[in-house]
Amino acid sequence: MGCKVYPNGTKGHSSFITQADWSLDSQFIQTNSADYELLFWSIPSCKQITSATAMRDVKWESYSCVLGWPVQGIWEKGMDGTDINAVDRSPDQTFLASGDDFMNVRLHVYPASKGGLPCKKYVGHGSHVTEVEFTKNGDRLLSTGGLDGCVFQWLVKKE
């Protein structure tokens, strides 16, 4: 028996899923969709969990969802739901990387749950950044550009 996440508005997201993360204990999945929804799912029951507050303290194996409690602070004033394309949490859970429509790769302290916190911005791509991902040991960050077609490798130094 498997679980299905239906993109039809009646049993889940009303658009296609853009990011997904498993909980550390493999009991839950959180998903983002193209219509800017954050939904939570119970794996044992195959049902949606409708209370986001009930999921606030769940520990996640990965964090790639652009919407959620620990990433609220990455959204700068004036941004809309399309401006941040990707996030990834470092393996040691100290950093959160984001890629945006303004050609920036940004490095935040994790969790980035409050707005106005400082972050480091790095520019190199010639167009929007489509993906960011830390290497397994967290000493490098990879980013991909949209129209520039480039893959960048960034050295991560802890200060």
Side-chain angles (χ1 to χ4, degrees):
M1 181 176 119
C3 295
K4 292 184 180 179
V5 179
Y6 296 93
N8 66 5
T10 58
K11 296 184 180 180
H13 289 290
S14 53
S15 186
F16 60 92
I17 293 171
T18 56
Q19 292 98 16
D21 295 302
W22 285 87
S23 64
L24 195 56
D25 62 6
S26 299
Q27 297 298 299
F28 307 103
I29 295 176
Q30 66 175 353
T31 54
N32 287 167
S33 61
D35 58 347
Y36 319 113
E37 290 179 310
L38 168 63
L39 298 182
F40 299 96
W41 308 91
S42 168
I43 298 306
S45 70
C46 290
K47 294 190 183 208
Q48 181 182 349
I49 298 167
T50 57
S51 171
T53 303
M55 301 301 292
R56 185 177 187 168
D57 295 322
V58 170
K59 304 292 184 216
W60 298 99
E61 177 67 30
S62 60
Y63 210 97
S64 64
C65 287
V66 299
L67 304 172
W69 295 107
V71 299
Q72 295 176 83
I74 67 174
W75 295 89
E76 295 178 353
K77 188 174 183 175
M79 284 184 159
D80 67 29
T82 65
D83 289 332
I84 294 181
N85 303 313
V87 301
D88 192 39
R89 183 188 64 202
S90 63
D92 66 0
Q93 300 187 23
T94 57
F95 296 117
L96 183 75
S98 65
D100 63 35
D101 279 349
F102 311 108
M103 301 183 284
N104 295 314
V105 172
R106 298 188 296 163
L107 198 58
H108 312 264
V109 173
Y110 183 85
S113 54
K114 294 182 182 176
L117 296 174
C119 70
K120 304 249 182 182
K121 290 184 184 180
Y122 303 96
V123 179
H125 288 284
S127 72
H128 62 292
V129 178
T130 59
E131 188 60 72
V132 292
E133 187 168 337
F134 286 96
T135 56
K136 187 173 183 172
N137 67 5
D139 69 342
R140 302 264 195 266
L141 176 69
L142 303 174
S143 63
T144 58
L147 296 176
D148 66 12
C150 293
V151 177
F152 284 15
Q153 180 179 207
W154 307 83
L155 179 64
V156 178
K157 291 185 178 181
K158 294 183 182 179
E159 296 176 354

